[in-house]
Amino acid sequence: MAVLNKIRQRSLFLILIIALALFSFVLADLFKNSDALLGTAQDVVATVNGKTIDRTDFMSKVENTQRQLGPGATSTQAMNRVYDQEVRRAVMSTQFDELGLTVEQDQMKDLLKQNFASYPEFQNEAGLFDENKLTEFVANLKAIYPERSVVGNFQLNYDDWVNSENSIAIGAQERAYYNMVKAGVNATLNEAEVDYMLENSTRDLRYVQIPYSTINDSLVEVTKSDITAYINKNKKKFEVEASRDIVYVEFKEAPSLDDENNLKASLTDFINGKAIFEDGKNDTIKAFRTVKADDLESYINYTAASDLNYNNAFVKKSALPAAVADTLYNLNVGDVYGPYKDGAMMKLSKMVAKKQVPDSAKVRHILIPHVGASSAAPDVTKTVEQAKATADSVLAIVKANRSKFPALVTALSSDQGSVEKGGVYDFHTSTQMVKPFSDFEFENKVGDIGVVKTQFGFHIIEILDQKGSSNVVKVATIARKIEPSTETIDNVFTEASKFELAVQDGDFQKIAEERKLAVKPVNGIKVLDEQIPGLASQRPMVRWAFEKETKVGDFKRFTIPGGGYVVAQVTKITKKGLMDPETASASVLTDIRKEKKAEMIRAKVTGTTVDDVAKNQGRPATSASAVNMKNPTLTGAGLEPKVVGVAFGLKDGETSGLINGDRGVYMVTVSNIQDATKLDNYQSIAARLSTARSSAAQTKVYNALKETADIEDNRAMFY
């Protein structure tokens, strides 16, 4: 009681202490992310040449884009598409502003007409574009905002319309900009002449090559400082984005052998039927082998709660599960086989019926569509009942006089693919037509005629001929997915948790090996990556790996979509900038060795002629005829552009010094110069060069503008 009184007496003091603690916690979090204090980067997805891409507008566009891309697209894919569009818009906007390139009101009207003239919503009674209808539509969108309205196949509100207008205007600006660029990249006649000479002027050469391979790699020492110097000398080549290397161990929620055996046992209960108890009530499963054919669909789909619905079709042996096809095919009618494993399912099958069917059939038909039928034309007005009545009337006519069939095809059938052939489909297999159509033509006889309903409407079908004969079977199957039990799922969680605890005080790789777990490495993960090789979408793992607090050696457990866990560890953090020597070594060792080998070769070479060097080094002197600059290849040595380039700078009979080539050190002598005969006109070559440049201009210009733009990308803060 005394303690409680003391607490009451100091209640104000305690409240102040708690308030200060909470306040310090909030301040610490704010200072940890100073952008929150300034309220800047929190709302900016990116900055391009000083122009900001606002978070709210950006996320709205991402949602719209993801909706357009459909359920198969992820938010990251939609985000990347919108980001590319917004960056392009900002980069190009800088150019438009500098040039004063705008779209005026009259031009905008013409652009809207070009883009929407074909939309019925904006056409008058004569089918011509009506500007007043467009104006009225936009005014209505503005009035009902934020509600959406339909135009063409799209639903949009006023914001969407404004964005659409902006996109049309920007498209016009881009076309004008690139047209100006293309006009400036046309090749001159002098350039055409140079190109012609490079392709057609040739040199005959004699050369000696001392290959780099004559010096063993083990004799060339490459140090870390050599690699660092090479990187600094070629900085552009070794610039890298920030990345992370990780390793991970996967714990899948896969069914155990016990799970499979338990599922087998539950399916076995269906063979002869068995009493089961549910909620204290005694119920009996009817024996699968005694179920009549007419009751199989209900029994399999509902009583047995099969994961695959009953298939009432006859199939060939090739359509049965490969591993048990022979066994199933040879069952007697009424026999039951299983349970057996088929992929990720456990199955129990019963032979229902056997028969022979034609291999192919030839038919003719008349298709009567109705409103709502697949591929029905817009002018179709018949209801289902009316279409059925028409089909029945046509059936009566052609049964009485089959010679009228072709005329009725022309007059009534909506199947344009067969109208010109009198409604005939030549010999085809059972898989080429929709099931109700196929069932009629393969389960009836030549000469039979009837009405069949499919998703396309009502068909009046006559079987003209049938060929071949094959045995087919109808098999009823109860199928259950093999899934992990609650016990198995709990065991997987326990195993993942134990591993996670163990690596807190031990080596990740060693502990995994002790537990016989596969450690999978993933290198070079980028900040906006969404996928981890070997796993389903793991964006949370990528975000964690790039958090400021995450250090090399840190590990964390993640849930796998679909079931299971991953324990991942960061093994390397690479910051944006130049590649480190260890990473670069694999790609630069060969080049550095070449440079050092070239110095070693040069140091031991004596002689000033090709023959002297060849004799001195014990290498053959080789001839190469008709060498040109467009294809700088030396006979016996391969592609050597630097060597050929030097040769084209020599006079007839002149010898070069030593040249460091791609495959060795060379000395070359020009033995004959054959310059191309000049043309009277180079216009056709200039036109060809201009076309090639113009085609590549748009992509190259934008890439160059983007490369030189000042871009700050904050996407990783939001995705």
Side-chain angles (χ1 to χ4, degrees):
M1 199 65 182
V3 173
L4 289 174
N5 285 331
K6 286 183 180 180
I7 290 174
R8 291 192 186 100
Q9 292 168 9
R10 292 171 173 79
S11 60
L12 180 60
F13 176 73
L14 287 171
I15 290 169
L16 287 172
I17 292 295
I18 293 169
L20 285 171
L22 289 171
F23 184 64
S24 64
F25 176 78
V26 172
L27 278 180
D29 189 57
L30 286 174
F31 281 112
K32 183 178 172 183
N33 187 2
S34 58
D35 285 331
L37 290 171
L38 300 174
T40 53
Q42 294 284 324
D43 294 318
V44 177
V45 173
T47 304
V48 183
N49 291 335
K51 300 177 188 291
T52 60
I53 298 175
D54 175 71
R55 177 179 65 89
T56 304
D57 180 57
F58 184 85
M59 288 185 167
S60 175
K61 289 177 179 176
V62 170
E63 288 177 8
N64 288 336
T65 300
Q66 189 166 6
R67 191 162 52 244
Q68 292 168 8
L69 292 175
T74 65
S75 60
T76 303
Q77 290 170 329
M79 176 268 294
N80 287 335
R81 176 173 290 197
V82 174
Y83 176 79
D84 290 340
Q85 292 170 349
E86 293 299 302
V87 168
R88 185 183 187 93
R89 180 174 293 188
V91 167
M92 297 308 300
S93 177
T94 302
Q95 298 298 304
F96 302 155
D97 292 344
E98 291 178 359
L99 294 171
L101 195 60
T102 61
V103 175
E104 301 303 321
Q105 187 174 358
D106 289 343
Q107 185 184 359
M108 192 66 206
K109 287 182 179 179
D110 290 338
L111 289 169
L112 290 174
K113 181 178 179 180
Q114 292 170 17
N115 280 271
F116 297 105
S118 62
Y119 284 67
E121 293 90 339
F122 308 132
Q123 293 175 350
N124 59 24
E125 293 178 357
L128 300 175
F129 177 74
D130 189 333
E131 186 179 326
N132 292 328
K133 287 197 172 188
L134 177 62
T135 303
E136 183 182 345
F137 176 81
V138 176
N140 181 59
L141 276 183
K142 194 171 184 179
I144 66 172
Y145 181 82
E147 297 298 322
R148 295 178 179 272
S149 186
V150 178
V151 57
N153 296 320
F154 305 100
Q155 285 193 348
L156 70 168
N157 60 24
Y158 184 68
D159 283 345
D160 298 327
W161 179 263
V162 171
N163 288 332
S164 178
E165 282 193 347
N166 288 336
S167 295
I168 291 170
I170 290 169
Q173 288 174 303
E174 285 196 14
R175 285 191 296 274
Y177 180 85
Y178 287 124
N179 285 338
M180 289 189 288
V181 170
K182 289 175 182 179
V185 297
N186 288 332
T188 65
L189 293 177
N190 284 339
E191 288 174 316
E193 182 178 1
V194 170
D195 186 81
Y196 169 77
M197 291 297 177
L198 287 175
E199 187 171 0
N200 294 282
S201 294
T202 63
R203 301 290 187 271
D204 293 343
L205 311 174
R206 289 187 76 248
Y207 71 91
V208 60
Q209 176 204 48
I210 303 96
Y212 296 128
S213 58
T214 58
I215 299 176
N216 197 292
D217 286 352
S218 62
L219 301 176
V220 182
E221 182 185 4
V222 179
T223 65
K224 185 176 179 179
S225 60
D226 291 329
I227 297 172
T228 302
Y230 188 89
I231 292 171
N232 290 327
K233 184 180 175 182
N234 302 274
K235 288 184 177 179
K236 194 75 174 175
K237 187 177 176 182
F238 294 98
E239 288 179 353
V240 293
E241 299 177 43
S243 66
R244 301 291 183 267
D245 293 354
I246 67 167
V247 293
Y248 71 85
V249 170
E250 185 177 5
F251 299 87
K252 291 183 180 179
E253 289 181 352
S256 67
L257 185 58
D258 284 343
D259 294 334
E260 289 189 17
N261 290 333
N262 290 335
L263 183 56
K264 270 186 179 180
S266 68
L267 286 178
T268 301
D269 291 343
F270 287 98
I271 297 176
N272 296 308
K274 182 177 179 181
I276 59 171
F277 296 89
E278 187 175 330
D279 297 331
K281 296 180 181 179
N282 188 330
D283 197 6
T284 303
I285 303 172
K286 189 174 184 180
F288 187 31
R289 65 174 70 253
T290 66
V291 179
K292 295 179 180 179
D294 291 343
D295 299 328
L296 279 170
E297 182 173 3
S298 174
Y299 183 87
I300 288 174
N301 294 352
Y302 301 105
T303 304
S306 173
D307 288 325
L308 293 179
N309 286 338
Y310 175 59
N311 181 7
N312 194 40
F314 281 91
V315 297
K316 293 183 179 180
K317 181 180 177 181
S318 58
L320 298 174
V324 293
D326 288 335
T327 302
L328 291 179
Y329 189 75
N330 292 320
L331 289 175
N332 294 319
V333 172
D335 285 355
V336 175
Y337 175 73
Y340 61 92
K341 187 176 179 181
D342 180 25
M345 287 192 161
M346 196 70 71
K347 294 181 177 180
L348 185 68
S349 294
K350 174 182 177 179
M351 179 61 68
V352 180
K354 295 183 175 185
K355 69 175 184 177
Q356 286 189 328
V357 296
D359 291 327
S360 62
K362 178 180 180 180
V363 300
R364 60 179 176 179
H365 83 129
I366 300 167
L367 173 59
I368 309 297
H370 56 77
V371 174
S374 296
S375 304
D379 59 352
V380 171
T381 58
K382 283 186 174 68
T383 64
V384 174
E385 293 76 15
Q386 290 170 335
K388 175 68 165 62
T390 301
D392 289 340
S393 297
V394 173
L395 176 64
I397 294 170
V398 295
K399 272 189 172 181
N401 187 351
R402 301 198 181 195
S403 65
K404 293 185 177 181
F405 206 106
L408 290 170
V409 169
T410 304
L412 299 175
S413 184
S414 69
D415 180 13
Q416 297 304 313
S418 65
V419 167
E420 293 183 359
K421 301 174 184 176
V424 173
Y425 276 105
D426 212 342
F427 287 102
H428 55 274
T429 61
S430 60
T431 58
Q432 288 186 239
M433 298 296 186
V434 290
K435 190 175 184 303
F437 194 111
S438 180
D439 287 348
F440 180 85
E441 58 182 343
F442 282 88
E443 292 181 8
N444 291 287
K445 299 176 182 178
V446 174
D448 285 353
I449 187 168
V451 172
V452 175
K453 186 178 186 298
T454 74
Q455 70 226 45
F456 301 102
F458 291 90
H459 306 256
I460 301 91
I461 306 172
E462 180 184 5
I463 303 174
L464 300 175
D465 199 1
Q466 294 171 335
K467 283 184 179 180
S469 179
S470 294
N471 292 320
V472 291
V473 295
K474 184 185 291 186
V475 178
T477 298
I478 301 171
R480 292 274 178 84
K481 293 176 184 175
I482 305 172
E483 296 179 324
S485 62
T486 301
E487 183 182 357
T488 298
I489 292 172
D490 290 343
N491 289 340
V492 171
F493 175 79
T494 301
E495 188 181 357
S497 299
K498 286 181 178 179
F499 179 80
E500 187 181 13
L501 288 170
V503 295
Q504 288 181 359
D505 302 312
D507 180 80
F508 191 99
Q509 186 81 34
K510 186 177 179 181
I511 292 170
E513 288 175 359
E514 289 172 354
R515 295 166 185 247
K516 294 182 172 56
L517 299 171
V519 178
K520 300 176 182 179
V522 182
N523 299 331
I525 300 170
K526 303 297 188 299
V527 67
L528 289 169
D529 283 353
E530 184 176 22
Q531 304 293 335
I532 298 292
L535 298 174
S537 180
Q538 280 295 332
R539 181 69 191 145
M541 188 188 297
V542 176
R543 293 196 65 166
W544 163 76
F546 278 88
E547 287 176 358
K548 291 180 181 179
E549 296 79 12
T550 304
K551 305 290 186 296
V552 171
D554 287 355
F555 60 90
K556 189 174 180 179
R557 184 181 64 197
F558 297 88
T559 301
I560 302 172
Y565 307 91
V566 161
V567 178
Q569 182 182 53
V570 175
T571 56
K572 184 178 180 181
I573 293 176
T574 301
K575 295 182 179 180
K576 183 179 180 180
L578 289 178
M579 191 183 294
D580 60 78
E582 289 77 13
T583 305
S585 62
S587 60
V588 305
L589 278 175
T590 300
D591 289 342
I592 295 173
R593 285 196 183 107
K594 279 184 180 181
E595 290 181 358
K596 294 200 169 197
K597 287 181 179 182
E599 292 174 6
M600 296 166 70
I601 290 170
R602 283 171 172 270
K604 65 180 183 179
V605 168
T606 59
T608 56
T609 69
V610 168
D611 290 329
D612 288 344
V613 173
K615 183 177 180 181
N616 170 254
Q617 294 299 309
R619 302 295 303 174
T622 307
S623 296
S625 301
V627 177
N628 71 57
M629 288 282 281
K630 273 295 185 74
N631 181 25
T633 302
L634 295 176
T635 304
L639 198 66
E640 286 289 1
K642 188 174 180 181
V643 178
V644 173
V646 171
F648 266 74
L650 301 175
K651 297 177 183 178
D652 195 0
E654 190 175 0
T655 301
S656 70
L658 293 174
I659 309 165
N660 295 350
D662 286 343
R663 293 171 173 77
V665 176
Y666 296 78
M667 181 175 284
V668 60
T669 297
V670 176
S671 56
N672 181 46
I673 294 176
Q674 185 67 46
D675 287 330
T677 304
K678 290 191 175 185
L679 302 177
D680 294 333
N681 190 308
Y682 295 95
Q683 190 63 51
S684 61
I685 299 174
R688 173 172 55 81
L689 294 175
S690 295
T691 300
R693 291 179 183 179
S694 180
S695 299
Q698 186 164 325
T699 301
K700 288 185 176 180
V701 167
Y702 174 69
N703 289 341
L705 291 173
K706 184 180 177 183
E707 191 175 336
T708 56
D710 182 14
I711 300 175
E712 181 182 338
D713 185 355
N714 301 322
R715 282 178 292 168
M717 294 175 58
F718 308 104
Y719 292 91

